[in-house]
């Protein structure tokens, strides 16, 4: 375990949990990498990556400079019921109140086109009592009407955020409906264009939006996704999201994986506080090294699962299977700063007990990743009318949630299935399930619980 500190970044530490012992002929090596950042701002949330600039040096204790764009759905459906638009305005006002003075910000109204609500003219305002009051006044002029083309909202947010000379760039996006007024490939192209430039938290309000759209936005832009089934809960949720954004201290941190000759990377994923696949997001970083985005950090801890395949070796031999570092790019293009690092090892042994025991961290998070997967598969099967498949998958989900102590997910599952026996995963599908309950389970399926130390 190593760590590194400088006045302009929080202090990072890396711990590796693994069973390094392999039997003769054994080739798969798993490690859980726990990354903890301290000395930053408030507790960070779930996210994963952010803009393309690293923090310039700043006075120790001084808050990082950040820019936030709030994108509010103003499509026609926001008028049904009329309280929805009012709640969205109130929530945006609450988020504006939570901005730290000095933060750059803007509000965008989203329909089939994106419109600058405040401050306008392609720029960002600087948060202080006067601009916050002006922004809240501008919110009163928001009215519902038009379609939904979320890609246009994201591209406008990117233009506004890209013009800011700041450490942290963040978006908050609220939608209540499906992205019906642009082709799916247009939204995908917008996400590809914005990925790595800013992080974004996405929220679906009510029950008429598409879970996979909202979670895809959060996943691509390495933020959080959630449902606010009752619009009355928006203000609390927006305040919390903004507090998390204000707590971020450093953006663009990457998990760098270096592997020796002959070692093949099978996967890299975040496993806590949510499951997020990172394998395909690798960017090459020199010979046999690649960077995986982890994004903006405040005071928080996250877990990553790294799985590699090593060449065969004889009993008694050992090797370094991978070196995991946290790196921060140099804005001027020089060598990146290494914040912390840890080692994943492989040792071949004929001790059967040593080589067959599974590390508790690895076992726990393998189960949590499977839990997220079987919930998704079970709900998809239920929607397509494959009730036997749905029962089997959701039963396995109940069993995994129960065994790992994931009480929040167990509660959500119990609204979709009647649990006969949690330990064996024996369940019956409920005949009637509220849309909000099913959507909540799907949206939060990737939330994990940490292994009990």
């Amino acid at each position: 375990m190593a760590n590194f500190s400088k006045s302009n970044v929080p202090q990072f530490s890396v711990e590796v949990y693994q069973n390094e012992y392999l039997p003769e002929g054994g080739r798969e090596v798993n490690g859980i990498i726990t990354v903890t950042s301290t000395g930053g701002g408030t507790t960070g949330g779930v996210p994963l990556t952010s803009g393309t600039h690293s923090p310039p040096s700043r006075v120790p204790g001084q808050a990082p400079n950040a820019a936030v764009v709030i994108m509010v759905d103003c499509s026609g459906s926001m008028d049904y019921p009329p309280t929805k638009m009012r709640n969205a305005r109130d929530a945006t006002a609450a988020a504006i109140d939570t901005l730290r003075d000095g933060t750059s910000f803007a509000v965008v109204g989203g329909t089939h086109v994106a419109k600058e609500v405040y401050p306008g003219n392609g720029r960002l305002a600087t948060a202080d009592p006067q601009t916050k009051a002006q922004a809240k006044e501008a919110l009163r002029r928001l009215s519902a009407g038009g379609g939904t083309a979320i890609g246009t909202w994201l591209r406008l947010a990117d233009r506004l955020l890209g013009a800011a000379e700041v450490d942290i760039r963040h978006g908050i996006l609220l939608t209540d409906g499906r992205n019906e007024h642009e082709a799916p490939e247009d939204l995908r192209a917008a996400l590809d264009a914005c990925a790595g430039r800013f992080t974004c938290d996405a929220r679906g309000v009510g029950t008429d939006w598409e879970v996979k759209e909202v979670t895809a936005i959060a996943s691509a832009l390495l933020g959080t996704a959630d449902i606010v089934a009752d619009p009355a809960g928006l203000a609390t949720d927006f305040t919390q999201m903004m507090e998390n954004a204000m707590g971020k201290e450093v953006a663009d941190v990457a998990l760098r994986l270096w592997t020796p000759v002959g070692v093949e990377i099978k996967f890299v994923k975040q496993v806590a506080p949510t499951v997020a696949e990172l394998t395909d997001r690798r960017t090459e970083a020199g010979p046999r090294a690649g960077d995986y985005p982890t994004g903006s950090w405040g005071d928080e801890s996250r877990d990553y699962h790294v799985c590699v395949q090593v060449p065969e070796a004889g009993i008694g031999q050992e090797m370094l299977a991978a070196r995991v570092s946290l790196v921060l790019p140099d804005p001027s293009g020089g060598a990146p700063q290494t914040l912390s690092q840890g080692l994943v090892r492989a040792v071949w042994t004929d001790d059967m007990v040593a080589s067959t025991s599974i590390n508790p961290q690895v076992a726990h998070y393998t189960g949590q990743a499977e839990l997220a997967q079987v919930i998704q598969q079970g709900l998809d099967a239920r929607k397509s009318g494959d009730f036997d498949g749905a029962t089997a998958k959701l039963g396995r989900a109940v069993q995994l949630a129960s065994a790992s102590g994931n009480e929040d997910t167990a509660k959500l599952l119990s609204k979709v299935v009647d649990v006969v026996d949690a330990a064996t995963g024996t369940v019956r599908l409920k005949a009637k399930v509220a849309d909000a309950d099913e959507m909540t389970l799907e949206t939060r399926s990737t939330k994990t619980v940490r292994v009990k130390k």
Side-chain angles (χ1 to χ4, degrees):
M1 168 180 155
N3 51 45
F4 185 97
S5 176
K6 254 193 187 178
S7 64
N8 66 323
V9 290
Q11 184 158 330
F12 284 81
S13 68
V14 168
E15 292 171 278
V16 177
Y17 297 94
Q18 68 161 139
N19 175 13
E20 64 262 43
Y21 294 105
L22 295 176
E24 190 170 12
R27 297 185 61 196
E28 186 173 287
V29 180
N30 288 278
I32 297 298
I33 318 298
T34 296
V35 179
T36 305
S37 134
T38 50
T42 61
T43 305
V46 175
L48 272 131
T49 229
S50 171
T52 48
H53 303 263
S54 334
S57 288
R58 61 171 178 268
V59 182
Q62 179 192 325
N65 46 349
V68 182
V69 173
I70 305 171
M71 293 160 269
V72 185
D73 192 335
C74 296
S75 61
S77 55
M78 285 293 286
D79 247 352
Y80 304 98
T83 48
K84 205 191 284 179
M85 194 74 221
R86 191 168 70 238
N87 287 133
R89 280 195 293 263
D90 291 348
T92 307
I96 289 166
D97 279 334
T98 313
L99 285 166
R100 192 173 43 233
D101 280 359
T103 304
S104 303
F105 78 103
V107 180
V108 167
T111 58
H112 49 286
V113 291
K115 197 173 72 191
E116 291 174 47
V117 174
Y118 183 83
N121 300 325
R123 51 198 182 89
L124 297 164
T126 302
D128 62 29
Q130 186 183 358
T131 55
K132 288 180 183 182
Q134 288 168 352
K136 289 191 287 187
E137 189 57 44
L139 290 176
R140 294 185 183 177
R141 299 194 290 276
L142 283 185
S143 59
T148 307
I150 294 173
T152 65
W153 315 355
L154 292 165
R155 287 183 187 274
L156 175 54
D158 183 37
R159 283 199 297 280
L160 292 166
L161 291 167
E165 281 298 318
V166 292
D167 304 349
I168 309 278
R169 292 175 178 75
H170 190 69
I172 287 177
L173 185 146
L174 173 74
T175 183
D176 83 319
R178 293 177 176 82
N179 198 42
E180 289 171 334
H181 295 86
E182 70 182 346
E185 49 271 24
D186 291 341
L187 176 57
R188 174 44 54 198
L191 289 172
D192 289 344
C194 297
R197 292 175 57 79
F198 65 96
T199 50
C200 185
D201 293 326
R203 293 294 183 267
V205 61
T207 54
D208 293 328
W209 48 281
E210 187 61 56
V211 173
K212 285 180 173 60
E213 277 173 5
V214 169
T215 53
I217 293 164
S219 170
L221 303 182
L222 301 170
T224 63
D226 207 352
I227 178 173
V228 186
D230 179 358
L234 275 175
T236 306
D237 190 76
F238 265 46
T239 303
Q240 195 180 354
M241 267 194 291
M242 192 61 87
E243 280 171 356
N244 270 345
M246 292 295 97
K248 298 300 180 186
E249 286 279 299
V250 57
D252 293 329
V253 179
L255 194 71
R256 176 165 292 179
L257 202 58
W258 177 89
T259 47
V261 173
V263 173
E264 184 191 327
I265 294 166
K266 297 191 81 173
F267 64 77
V268 178
K269 61 176 78 160
Q270 179 182 288
V271 287
T274 57
V275 177
E277 189 55 68
L278 298 176
T279 314
D280 296 341
R281 307 182 103 150
R282 176 185 172 104
T283 51
E284 295 307 316
R288 298 196 303 285
D291 287 352
Y292 301 85
T294 74
S296 303
W297 289 75
D299 271 10
E300 59 191 295
S301 182
R302 306 181 203 161
D303 294 325
Y304 299 88
H305 186 168
V306 170
C307 177
V308 297
Q309 188 167 291
V310 294
E312 283 189 43
I315 298 297
Q317 288 190 275
E318 55 181 274
M319 73 174 287
L320 173 63
R323 184 172 64 234
V324 183
S325 317
L326 279 180
V327 297
L328 193 59
D330 178 359
S332 55
Q337 180 182 333
T338 301
L339 303 172
S340 186
Q341 65 178 20
L343 306 176
V344 180
R345 298 168 63 236
V347 180
W348 284 266
T349 179
D350 54 7
D351 178 340
M352 282 302 288
V353 176
S355 67
T356 53
S357 70
I358 297 178
N359 174 274
Q361 264 86 355
V362 172
H364 175 82
Y365 286 123
T366 302
Q368 293 293 290
E370 186 193 347
L371 173 60
Q373 187 181 30
V374 289
I375 288 173
Q376 205 58 60
Q377 290 169 339
L379 291 175
D380 287 348
R382 189 177 170 278
K383 281 177 199 157
S384 69
D386 173 10
F387 299 124
D388 289 347
T391 304
K393 293 291 184 189
L394 294 173
R396 175 65 177 149
V398 165
Q399 187 180 26
L400 287 164
S402 166
S404 64
N406 193 332
E407 289 166 19
D408 288 350
T409 301
K411 271 192 203 115
L412 296 175
L413 280 160
S414 70
K415 294 186 174 175
V416 177
V417 293
D418 290 317
V419 179
V420 180
D421 182 357
T424 59
T426 310
V427 302
R428 279 192 298 269
L429 291 187
K430 285 187 185 287
K432 285 194 79 160
V433 176
D435 287 347
D437 289 336
E438 185 176 5
M439 290 172 75
T440 304
L441 175 62
E442 188 176 358
T443 310
R444 296 182 186 167
S445 62
T446 57
K447 286 198 164 96
T448 55
V449 287
R450 298 196 83 161
V451 68
K452 290 179 174 61
K453 293 283 192 288

